[in-house]
Amino acid sequence: MDFNHVTRPLSDSEAKTEAERIIAEAMRPERQFPTSFRDESKIPAYGDTPPVHQDDKRIVPAWAAGIAVASIGVGAGITGVGCGAWLVLQGLASVTLYGVLMVTLPFAGVAMVATAIGGAINKARTSVSKTYYEGPVVQNTQINNTSNQRGMFSRTRNDVR
């Protein structure tokens, strides 16, 4: 449509007339638009057939989507581990007191935790029992000494019972 002839705003009556003209032009019976198309041409009896468009309606299974998400998570985790290793190696590259402490600090932390757990288990295992003896107590001690001396070498065996 050519709108170059409009240089000023239309009045209400002119706008109404223009709108009626546009609607009448759009609704003319000789102007029809196809809504569907059917190809009536004959398909060959043998040989290649013409290509037919087929819509792609693939659906991704849930397990495949889960594996994709898990692989993204693993990749991000490995990236974090790599960054951590890079930081540790950067610390080791500069051999200073801080670098040495950076290496030994995890081992010291693990040793401290292991000592605390061992102490807690030891305290839990010790029994609190008191034994009361009644009556006289007799202690017999028997000592057997056996000495063998031959030249430069000597051997002494003490058996205490």
Side-chain angles (χ1 to χ4, degrees):
M1 296 186 125
D2 184 21
F3 293 105
N4 291 333
H5 67 283
V6 180
T7 56
R8 59 174 175 76
L10 297 175
S11 67
D12 289 340
S13 63
E14 290 173 337
K16 183 178 178 187
T17 306
E18 184 67 19
E20 288 173 356
R21 184 190 65 80
I22 292 172
I23 292 172
E25 185 180 321
M27 300 304 281
R28 277 193 306 209
E30 64 268 359
R31 189 171 183 188
Q32 295 180 357
F33 299 102
T35 56
S36 65
F37 175 75
R38 183 178 193 109
D39 187 9
E40 299 291 339
S41 62
K42 295 285 184 179
I43 297 176
Y46 62 91
D48 294 336
T49 58
V52 177
H53 178 71
Q54 298 177 357
D55 290 335
D56 187 13
K57 296 183 179 178
R58 286 181 272 176
I59 298 174
V60 178
W63 62 267
I67 288 175
V69 170
S71 65
I72 291 170
V74 168
I78 291 298
T79 302
V81 169
C83 289
W86 180 79
L87 287 172
V88 168
L89 293 175
Q90 283 293 102
L92 289 175
S94 60
V95 181
T96 62
L97 176 61
Y98 293 127
V100 173
L101 290 177
M102 186 176 184
V103 172
T104 59
L105 188 62
F107 298 113
V110 168
M112 184 177 68
V113 169
T115 304
I117 290 172
I121 291 173
N122 191 21
K123 278 202 179 240
R125 284 180 45 193
T126 57
S127 63
V128 181
S129 63
K130 295 182 180 176
T131 306
Y132 297 100
Y133 294 101
E134 294 181 8
V137 175
V138 178
Q139 182 176 1
N140 293 326
T141 303
Q142 186 178 18
I143 300 174
N144 295 327
N145 286 337
T146 306
S147 294
N148 293 330
Q149 289 134 4
R150 293 183 190 157
M152 221 164 74
F153 302 102
S154 66
R155 178 177 172 176
T156 304
R157 172 175 249 162
N158 294 326
D159 292 329
V160 178
R161 292 183 191 187

